[in-house]
Short mmCIF file of all heavy atoms in Angstrom, two decimals:
data_model
loop_
_atom_site.label_atom_id
_atom_site.label_comp_id
_atom_site.label_asym_id
_atom_site.label_seq_id
_atom_site.Cartn_x
_atom_site.Cartn_y
_atom_site.Cartn_z
N THR A 288 0.84 -1.20 0.00
CA THR A 288 0.00 0.00 0.00
C THR A 288 0.87 1.25 0.00
O THR A 288 0.88 2.02 0.96
CB THR A 288 -0.94 0.00 1.21
OG1 THR A 288 -0.18 -0.15 2.42
CG2 THR A 288 -1.94 -1.15 1.11
N PHE A 289 1.57 1.46 -1.09
CA PHE A 289 2.47 2.60 -1.21
C PHE A 289 1.72 3.93 -1.08
O PHE A 289 2.25 4.90 -0.53
CB PHE A 289 3.20 2.53 -2.55
CG PHE A 289 4.13 3.68 -2.80
CD1 PHE A 289 5.27 3.85 -2.04
CD2 PHE A 289 3.87 4.59 -3.82
CE1 PHE A 289 6.14 4.90 -2.27
CE2 PHE A 289 4.73 5.64 -4.06
CZ PHE A 289 5.87 5.80 -3.29
N SER A 290 0.49 3.97 -1.57
CA SER A 290 -0.29 5.19 -1.52
C SER A 290 -0.68 5.60 -0.10
O SER A 290 -1.19 6.69 0.11
CB SER A 290 -1.56 5.06 -2.37
OG SER A 290 -2.39 4.01 -1.89
N GLY A 291 -0.43 4.76 0.87
CA GLY A 291 -0.71 5.08 2.25
C GLY A 291 0.40 5.84 2.95
O GLY A 291 0.28 6.15 4.14
N TYR A 292 1.48 6.15 2.24
CA TYR A 292 2.65 6.79 2.85
C TYR A 292 2.91 8.17 2.27
O TYR A 292 2.87 8.37 1.06
CB TYR A 292 3.89 5.94 2.63
CG TYR A 292 3.86 4.61 3.36
CD1 TYR A 292 3.29 3.49 2.77
CD2 TYR A 292 4.41 4.49 4.63
CE1 TYR A 292 3.26 2.27 3.44
CE2 TYR A 292 4.39 3.28 5.30
CZ TYR A 292 3.81 2.18 4.70
OH TYR A 292 3.79 0.97 5.36
N TYR A 293 3.17 9.11 3.15
CA TYR A 293 3.81 10.36 2.75
C TYR A 293 5.28 10.04 2.47
O TYR A 293 5.92 9.31 3.23
CB TYR A 293 3.71 11.41 3.85
CG TYR A 293 2.30 11.91 4.08
CD1 TYR A 293 1.39 11.17 4.83
CD2 TYR A 293 1.89 13.13 3.55
CE1 TYR A 293 0.10 11.62 5.04
CE2 TYR A 293 0.60 13.59 3.76
CZ TYR A 293 -0.28 12.83 4.50
OH TYR A 293 -1.56 13.29 4.71
N MET A 294 5.80 10.60 1.40
CA MET A 294 7.18 10.31 0.99
C MET A 294 8.01 11.58 0.98
O MET A 294 7.60 12.59 0.41
CB MET A 294 7.21 9.66 -0.39
CG MET A 294 6.51 8.31 -0.46
SD MET A 294 7.27 7.06 0.62
CE MET A 294 8.94 7.00 -0.06
N GLY A 295 9.16 11.51 1.61
CA GLY A 295 10.03 12.67 1.70
C GLY A 295 11.44 12.39 1.20
O GLY A 295 11.85 11.24 1.08
N TRP A 296 12.14 13.47 0.90
CA TRP A 296 13.56 13.42 0.56
C TRP A 296 14.33 14.28 1.55
O TRP A 296 13.92 15.41 1.86
CB TRP A 296 13.83 13.92 -0.86
CG TRP A 296 13.42 12.97 -1.94
CD1 TRP A 296 12.27 12.98 -2.66
CD2 TRP A 296 14.19 11.87 -2.45
NE1 TRP A 296 12.25 11.97 -3.58
CE2 TRP A 296 13.43 11.26 -3.47
CE3 TRP A 296 15.44 11.34 -2.13
CZ2 TRP A 296 13.88 10.15 -4.18
CZ3 TRP A 296 15.89 10.23 -2.84
CH2 TRP A 296 15.11 9.66 -3.85
N PHE A 297 15.44 13.74 2.03
CA PHE A 297 16.37 14.45 2.88
C PHE A 297 17.77 14.33 2.29
O PHE A 297 18.02 13.50 1.43
CB PHE A 297 16.36 13.88 4.31
CG PHE A 297 15.10 14.16 5.07
CD1 PHE A 297 13.93 13.47 4.81
CD2 PHE A 297 15.09 15.12 6.07
CE1 PHE A 297 12.77 13.72 5.52
CE2 PHE A 297 13.94 15.38 6.79
CZ PHE A 297 12.78 14.69 6.51
N ARG A 298 18.67 15.17 2.77
CA ARG A 298 20.05 15.07 2.33
C ARG A 298 20.99 15.40 3.47
O ARG A 298 20.64 16.12 4.41
CB ARG A 298 20.32 15.98 1.14
CG ARG A 298 20.24 17.48 1.45
CD ARG A 298 20.40 18.29 0.18
NE ARG A 298 20.37 19.72 0.44
CZ ARG A 298 20.42 20.65 -0.51
NH1 ARG A 298 20.50 20.30 -1.78
NH2 ARG A 298 20.39 21.94 -0.18
N GLN A 299 22.20 14.86 3.37
CA GLN A 299 23.21 15.12 4.38
C GLN A 299 24.54 15.39 3.68
O GLN A 299 25.10 14.51 3.03
CB GLN A 299 23.35 13.93 5.34
CG GLN A 299 24.26 14.21 6.51
CD GLN A 299 24.12 13.16 7.60
OE1 GLN A 299 23.67 12.05 7.36
NE2 GLN A 299 24.51 13.52 8.81
N ALA A 300 25.01 16.61 3.81
CA ALA A 300 26.27 17.02 3.22
C ALA A 300 27.42 16.65 4.15
O ALA A 300 27.22 16.44 5.35
CB ALA A 300 26.27 18.52 2.96
N PRO A 301 28.64 16.56 3.62
CA PRO A 301 29.79 16.21 4.46
C PRO A 301 29.94 17.15 5.64
O PRO A 301 29.95 18.37 5.48
CB PRO A 301 30.97 16.33 3.50
CG PRO A 301 30.38 16.09 2.15
CD PRO A 301 29.01 16.72 2.21
N GLY A 302 30.05 16.58 6.83
CA GLY A 302 30.25 17.35 8.03
C GLY A 302 29.03 18.12 8.52
O GLY A 302 29.16 18.92 9.44
N LYS A 303 27.88 17.89 7.92
CA LYS A 303 26.68 18.61 8.32
C LYS A 303 25.57 17.65 8.73
O LYS A 303 25.61 16.46 8.42
CB LYS A 303 26.19 19.50 7.17
CG LYS A 303 27.16 20.59 6.77
CD LYS A 303 26.58 21.48 5.70
CE LYS A 303 27.52 22.60 5.33
NZ LYS A 303 26.96 23.48 4.28
N ALA A 304 24.57 18.19 9.40
CA ALA A 304 23.43 17.40 9.82
C ALA A 304 22.49 17.13 8.65
O ALA A 304 22.48 17.85 7.65
CB ALA A 304 22.69 18.11 10.94
N ARG A 305 21.69 16.11 8.80
CA ARG A 305 20.70 15.80 7.79
C ARG A 305 19.66 16.91 7.72
O ARG A 305 19.21 17.41 8.75
CB ARG A 305 20.04 14.46 8.10
CG ARG A 305 19.05 13.99 7.06
CD ARG A 305 18.51 12.61 7.43
NE ARG A 305 19.57 11.62 7.49
CZ ARG A 305 19.38 10.35 7.80
NH1 ARG A 305 18.16 9.91 8.09
NH2 ARG A 305 20.40 9.51 7.84
N GLU A 306 19.27 17.29 6.51
CA GLU A 306 18.32 18.36 6.34
C GLU A 306 17.19 17.95 5.40
O GLU A 306 17.37 17.14 4.49
CB GLU A 306 18.99 19.64 5.81
CG GLU A 306 19.55 19.52 4.41
CD GLU A 306 20.10 20.83 3.89
OE1 GLU A 306 19.86 21.89 4.50
OE2 GLU A 306 20.79 20.80 2.84
N PHE A 307 16.05 18.55 5.62
CA PHE A 307 14.86 18.28 4.82
C PHE A 307 14.99 18.88 3.44
O PHE A 307 15.49 20.00 3.28
CB PHE A 307 13.64 18.84 5.54
CG PHE A 307 12.39 18.87 4.71
CD1 PHE A 307 11.68 17.71 4.46
CD2 PHE A 307 11.92 20.06 4.20
CE1 PHE A 307 10.53 17.73 3.70
CE2 PHE A 307 10.76 20.10 3.45
CZ PHE A 307 10.07 18.93 3.19
N VAL A 308 14.50 18.16 2.43
CA VAL A 308 14.50 18.64 1.05
C VAL A 308 13.07 18.85 0.56
O VAL A 308 12.71 19.95 0.14
CB VAL A 308 15.23 17.66 0.11
CG1 VAL A 308 15.11 18.12 -1.34
CG2 VAL A 308 16.70 17.55 0.51
N SER A 309 12.26 17.80 0.60
CA SER A 309 10.91 17.89 0.04
C SER A 309 10.05 16.75 0.54
O SER A 309 10.56 15.72 0.99
CB SER A 309 10.98 17.87 -1.49
OG SER A 309 9.69 18.02 -2.06
N VAL A 310 8.74 16.93 0.45
CA VAL A 310 7.78 15.88 0.80
C VAL A 310 6.61 15.95 -0.17
O VAL A 310 6.27 17.03 -0.68
CB VAL A 310 7.30 16.03 2.27
CG1 VAL A 310 6.53 17.34 2.45
CG2 VAL A 310 6.45 14.84 2.68
N ILE A 311 5.98 14.82 -0.40
CA ILE A 311 4.82 14.74 -1.27
C ILE A 311 3.72 13.97 -0.56
O ILE A 311 3.99 13.00 0.15
CB ILE A 311 5.18 14.10 -2.63
CG1 ILE A 311 4.02 14.21 -3.62
CG2 ILE A 311 5.63 12.65 -2.45
CD1 ILE A 311 4.43 13.89 -5.05
N SER A 312 2.48 14.41 -0.76
CA SER A 312 1.35 13.77 -0.10
C SER A 312 1.09 12.39 -0.67
O SER A 312 1.66 11.98 -1.67
CB SER A 312 0.11 14.65 -0.25
OG SER A 312 -0.26 14.78 -1.61
N ARG A 313 0.20 11.68 -0.02
CA ARG A 313 -0.07 10.30 -0.40
C ARG A 313 -0.62 10.16 -1.81
O ARG A 313 -0.25 9.24 -2.55
CB ARG A 313 -1.03 9.66 0.61
CG ARG A 313 -0.43 9.49 1.99
CD ARG A 313 -1.43 8.98 2.99
NE ARG A 313 -2.53 9.91 3.19
CZ ARG A 313 -3.53 9.71 4.03
NH1 ARG A 313 -3.56 8.61 4.76
NH2 ARG A 313 -4.48 10.62 4.15
N SER A 314 -1.48 11.08 -2.20
CA SER A 314 -2.05 11.06 -3.54
C SER A 314 -1.14 11.71 -4.58
O SER A 314 -1.35 11.53 -5.78
CB SER A 314 -3.40 11.76 -3.55
OG SER A 314 -3.26 13.13 -3.24
N GLY A 315 -0.17 12.48 -4.13
CA GLY A 315 0.72 13.18 -5.02
C GLY A 315 0.25 14.56 -5.44
O GLY A 315 0.93 15.21 -6.24
N ASP A 316 -0.86 15.02 -4.91
CA ASP A 316 -1.41 16.30 -5.33
C ASP A 316 -0.92 17.49 -4.52
O ASP A 316 -1.26 18.63 -4.85
CB ASP A 316 -2.94 16.27 -5.33
CG ASP A 316 -3.52 15.95 -3.96
OD1 ASP A 316 -2.75 15.71 -3.02
OD2 ASP A 316 -4.76 15.94 -3.85
N SER A 317 -0.11 17.25 -3.48
CA SER A 317 0.44 18.33 -2.67
C SER A 317 1.92 18.09 -2.42
O SER A 317 2.33 16.96 -2.15
CB SER A 317 -0.30 18.45 -1.34
OG SER A 317 -1.67 18.77 -1.55
N THR A 318 2.68 19.17 -2.49
CA THR A 318 4.12 19.08 -2.26
C THR A 318 4.59 20.24 -1.41
O THR A 318 3.95 21.29 -1.33
CB THR A 318 4.91 19.07 -3.58
OG1 THR A 318 4.62 20.27 -4.31
CG2 THR A 318 4.53 17.87 -4.43
N PHE A 319 5.74 20.06 -0.78
CA PHE A 319 6.34 21.10 0.04
C PHE A 319 7.85 20.97 -0.07
O PHE A 319 8.39 19.86 -0.08
CB PHE A 319 5.89 20.96 1.50
CG PHE A 319 6.53 21.94 2.43
CD1 PHE A 319 6.27 23.29 2.33
CD2 PHE A 319 7.41 21.51 3.42
CE1 PHE A 319 6.86 24.20 3.18
CE2 PHE A 319 8.01 22.41 4.28
CZ PHE A 319 7.73 23.76 4.16
N TYR A 320 8.54 22.13 -0.15
CA TYR A 320 9.98 22.15 -0.35
C TYR A 320 10.68 23.03 0.68
O TYR A 320 10.10 23.99 1.18
CB TYR A 320 10.33 22.68 -1.74
CG TYR A 320 9.76 21.87 -2.88
CD1 TYR A 320 8.50 22.14 -3.39
CD2 TYR A 320 10.50 20.82 -3.45
CE1 TYR A 320 7.98 21.39 -4.43
CE2 TYR A 320 9.99 20.08 -4.49
CZ TYR A 320 8.73 20.37 -4.98
OH TYR A 320 8.21 19.63 -6.02
#
């Protein structure tokens, strides 16, 4: 049931903490960056 999950992207640069990149809603109709 992949459609039941909000999916996000994060990144971690060398020597830095992990940071938020983007997220998409379960249906794919809403995004945030």
Side-chain angles (χ1 to χ4, degrees):
T288 55
F289 179 67
S290 61
Y292 294 88
Y293 291 80
M294 297 298 300
W296 286 97
F297 290 75
R298 67 185 182 184
Q299 188 167 22
K303 297 184 178 180
R305 184 177 299 179
E306 66 175 348
F307 169 75
V308 175
S309 183
V310 64
I311 188 167
S312 63
R313 294 175 296 182
S314 65
D316 59 358
S317 298
T318 59
F319 176 67
Y320 300 89

